[in-house]
Amino acid sequence: MQRHGEEAIAAAGSAAELEDVRVRFLGKKGLLTGILRGMGALPPEERPLAGQWANAVRDRLNALLAEREAALVARETESRLAAEALDVTLPGRRPPLGHRHPLRVVWTEVEAIFRGMGYEVFEGPEIEYDYYNFETLNIPKGHPARDMQDSFYVTDEILLRTHTSPSQIRFMRQRAPRLPVRMIAPGRVYRRDDDATHSPMFHQVEGLLVDAGVTFGDLKGTLLSFARQMYGEGAQIRLRPSYFPFTEPSAEVDVSCAICGGSGRLVEAELSGAPAGGLPCRTCKGTGWLEVLGAGMVHPVVLKNGGYDPERVTGFAFGMGIERLAMLKYGIDDLRLFFQNDLRFISQF
Ligand code: PHE
């Protein structure tokens, strides 16, 4: 009896099992209790001895139960501690930090440079009326200049804007007749174009300055100052005659290549065994220049459409491609990289 009890106690693996054992041996209907009840049937002289024995067994089992219970509690505490162990000396997990897209970096930089020159920032709609996108900019229906920008139409009269130039008219109409007008308007534009240097969606920054006595020299000075703030004091600009219906005269403006320093060659390549004189620079295709914007003196018709008198004021306007500016800044030769959101590319900036 005692041995059975001892074995059962030792075998109990949990507090619940232990309680079962206690009930089985010492409970009201337990084995030992049964024995004690049955003692009445014994001859009187045997009762004291049997009583002593039964008490000894009960005490012994009670002591073992208490001991086993303590051991089980200790074991459970231990395994819980092990399972919930927390190493407070481990370094924390840092949430990965994102950063701005390279185009946004350049966009913000352009804004900062022009704000510094007294320009205010304006925002025009991406879904635009034909009227603002073309008509008021001196590009009537059927004008061949529309071909170059053939675009995404929503209806006959509404399209995704093909340039930021409609912001010129929208801004002047808000501002007229007050002077000066000094505005830049950055944003997305859309054209039916898709190759290594053209994307159907890209970004421009429009610029417009209108005042009494503004000259082409002011335009050149402003663009040169911008190029030097953007690419360093050594930057040069080059103007080539061009045509836009909304400026006269008009120019395409190149900035000296910041990657090869305008030489068109990458001389560092010599170190790695390239031919003497280096390799042609890929960013500017070996020319030393990168076309980044169109510009010109605001056409009298456009001034009039904006609410200004072309007999009394003149102005200049420009539109630069943010992707082009960024390619020149970072030495990137495929514009599509900006839009693929490949982290291997994007996290380099
Ligand atoms: N809107 C022209 C373009 O998209 C750029 C430009 C803007 C040219 C302002 C002259 C003046 O190519």
Side-chain angles (χ1 to χ4, degrees):
M1 162 83 207
Q2 177 168 328
R3 197 163 51 80
H4 283 159
E6 284 171 3
E7 281 169 10
I9 290 169
S14 69
E17 277 175 46
L18 197 62
E19 178 60 11
D20 285 348
V21 174
R22 196 189 63 75
V23 170
R24 187 145 53 89
F25 287 88
L26 308 176
K28 273 195 187 120
K29 295 176 183 159
L31 292 171
L32 195 67
T33 319
I35 288 170
L36 285 167
R37 287 225 182 89
M39 274 187 358
L42 287 175
E45 64 278 14
E46 286 182 14
R47 285 180 201 161
L49 210 65
Q52 259 175 33
W53 171 82
N55 281 334
V57 171
R58 192 191 56 213
D59 291 348
R60 169 86 180 134
L61 292 185
N62 268 329
L64 284 176
L65 280 168
E67 208 176 276
R68 185 71 187 142
E69 188 185 357
L72 284 174
V73 167
R75 208 175 71 185
E76 270 160 32
T77 308
E78 218 162 87
S79 64
R80 220 179 54 224
L81 281 177
E84 294 172 5
L86 189 69
D87 183 350
V88 294
T89 68
L90 278 175
R93 280 190 212 98
R94 275 180 205 286
L97 248 199
H99 61 82
R100 291 179 307 164
H101 189 279
L103 291 178
R104 177 62 74 176
V105 172
V106 171
W107 171 325
T108 311
E109 218 169 299
V110 175
E111 266 190 28
I113 291 172
F114 281 101
R115 274 186 208 277
M117 296 196 281
Y119 287 67
E120 62 188 284
V121 178
F122 178 71
E123 197 182 344
E126 284 175 35
I127 301 173
E128 186 55 284
Y129 290 104
D130 181 284
Y131 175 72
Y132 285 112
N133 193 80
F134 293 126
E135 219 61 46
T136 50
L137 289 170
N138 205 24
I139 317 176
K141 288 209 160 64
H143 193 290
R146 286 191 178 214
D147 270 5
M148 270 170 28
Q149 307 206 343
D150 200 10
S151 184
F152 302 102
Y153 280 85
V154 178
T155 69
D156 277 355
E157 296 304 328
I158 296 173
L159 75 165
L160 301 185
R161 66 177 175 189
T162 61
H163 52 180
T164 43
S165 298
S167 302
Q168 290 187 29
I169 303 289
R170 286 181 175 273
F171 189 80
M172 281 191 282
R173 287 189 174 183
Q174 278 185 15
R175 185 52 55 96
R178 284 167 292 162
L179 292 170
V181 170
R182 260 192 245 121
M183 162 223 90
I184 59 163
R188 292 197 180 94
V189 300
Y190 303 82
R191 289 186 199 173
R192 250 175 34 190
D193 254 341
D194 201 4
D195 60 40
T197 50
H198 297 90
S199 148
M201 184 281 297
F202 62 104
H203 301 79
Q204 286 187 331
V205 182
E206 193 75 11
L208 175 69
L209 185 141
V210 179
D211 206 349
V214 177
T215 69
F216 200 87
D218 295 322
L219 170 61
K220 279 175 71 176
T222 301
L223 294 178
L224 183 61
S225 170
F226 165 74
R228 297 200 161 156
Q229 291 180 67
M230 188 82 187
Y231 297 109
E233 278 308 307
Q236 299 287 345
I237 60 168
R238 178 174 83 169
L239 279 70
R240 288 176 287 111
S242 185
Y243 173 77
F244 299 103
F246 38 93
T247 48
E248 182 60 33
S250 304
E252 308 250 26
V253 183
D254 303 337
V255 176
S256 56
C257 180
I259 300 306
C260 62
S263 69
R265 320 283 302 170
L266 283 176
V267 186
E268 305 95 88
E270 271 177 48
L271 297 174
S272 48
L279 292 171
C281 174
R282 275 184 303 157
T283 306
C284 62
K285 308 269 179 309
T287 63
W289 298 94
L290 209 77
E291 184 192 326
V292 296
L293 61 95
M297 299 306 288
V298 182
H299 195 287
V301 166
V302 174
L303 283 173
K304 208 183 291 157
N305 287 339
Y308 287 91
D309 179 356
E311 297 298 328
R312 305 173 60 158
V313 298
T314 50
F316 64 71
F318 55 83
M320 38 187 137
I322 297 185
E323 283 77 3
R324 298 293 179 87
L325 295 173
M327 287 165 87
L328 188 53
K329 185 179 172 76
Y330 297 119
I332 292 155
D333 56 5
D334 190 337
L335 157 150
R336 289 170 292 200
L337 288 166
F338 287 127
F339 306 115
Q340 286 160 351
N341 286 335
D342 184 334
L343 284 178
R344 289 170 302 179
F345 172 77
I346 249 172
S347 54
Q348 292 177 45
F349 301 94

